[in-house]
Amino acid sequence: MTLPTKEIILAPGQGNHLRTGNSEIIFKAVGADTHGHLGLFENIIPPGGTSPVLHIHRQMEELFYVVEGEVEIQVGNQKVHGQPGAFVLVPRGTPHTFANTGTTTAKLLIMFCPGGEREKYFAGLAELLKDGHTPDREALLELMRQFDQEPVD
């Protein structure tokens, strides 16, 4: 077993914060912290908050754990009404998306395996969504494809 490059100890709410649209991401561990094995972050989503288009990852698995609120997670042909404690593993190549369908703020823990440089995708997305802009479709597609994300039409 390979150990992380250094210990990470974070109190609630700590980590690198990033806004993507009206949602917030708090990075807990990124690929560089785990020799690329995994990345973990919190996604805080207000009701009707920013959510991704239906998409796949060819090189990574994505795992969702609902901490607070209600989150609808689509994985393949299934729609899961996720309440606190719900867990969904999305195998690579499986179409998926998620959205806060409740009336209160939701919090998800999201893990990517392998971790790679997934945080760079979210930094790029934050820039595309900055100041309420709707991103150019081609710019969004380029960003997605650069970081192992492909929309499902």
Side-chain angles (χ1 to χ4, degrees):
M1 180 169 134
T2 304
L3 297 176
T5 57
K6 63 182 179 195
E7 298 82 7
I8 297 174
I9 301 169
L10 300 172
Q14 287 185 321
N16 290 327
H17 290 246
L18 183 67
R19 291 206 69 74
T20 55
N22 60 357
S23 297
E24 182 177 11
I25 295 172
I26 305 171
F27 296 103
K28 300 299 184 176
V30 296
D33 299 322
T34 66
H35 299 285
H37 294 292
L38 63 92
L40 177 71
F41 62 91
E42 287 180 342
N43 194 350
I44 301 169
I45 314 163
T50 305
S51 59
V53 298
L54 188 66
H55 64 278
I56 64 168
H57 304 289
R58 297 186 195 289
Q59 303 299 319
M60 69 179 98
E61 278 70 39
E62 190 169 6
L63 299 84
F64 297 95
Y65 182 83
V66 179
V67 178
E68 295 175 6
E70 299 176 26
V71 180
E72 182 177 275
I73 302 169
Q74 180 178 341
V75 57
N77 295 323
Q78 300 178 68
K79 287 191 177 180
V80 177
H81 181 76
Q83 296 181 331
F87 171 79
V88 174
L89 176 125
V90 180
R92 59 186 68 188
T94 304
H96 62 285
T97 188
F98 59 89
N100 180 347
T101 56
T103 58
T104 62
T105 297
K107 183 186 295 185
L108 279 174
L109 281 179
I110 303 177
M111 180 184 293
F112 291 95
C113 299
E117 296 181 317
R118 191 72 181 142
E119 67 280 4
K120 290 182 179 179
Y121 165 75
F122 292 101
L125 182 61
E127 190 61 34
L128 289 176
L129 296 172
K130 191 175 181 178
D131 300 325
H133 288 111
T134 300
D136 171 76
R137 178 165 168 73
E138 287 306 314
L140 181 58
L141 285 173
E142 182 180 326
L143 177 68
M144 291 174 76
R145 290 177 176 147
Q146 184 180 357
F147 294 101
D148 186 28
Q149 188 164 319
E150 185 73 33
V152 176
D153 296 322

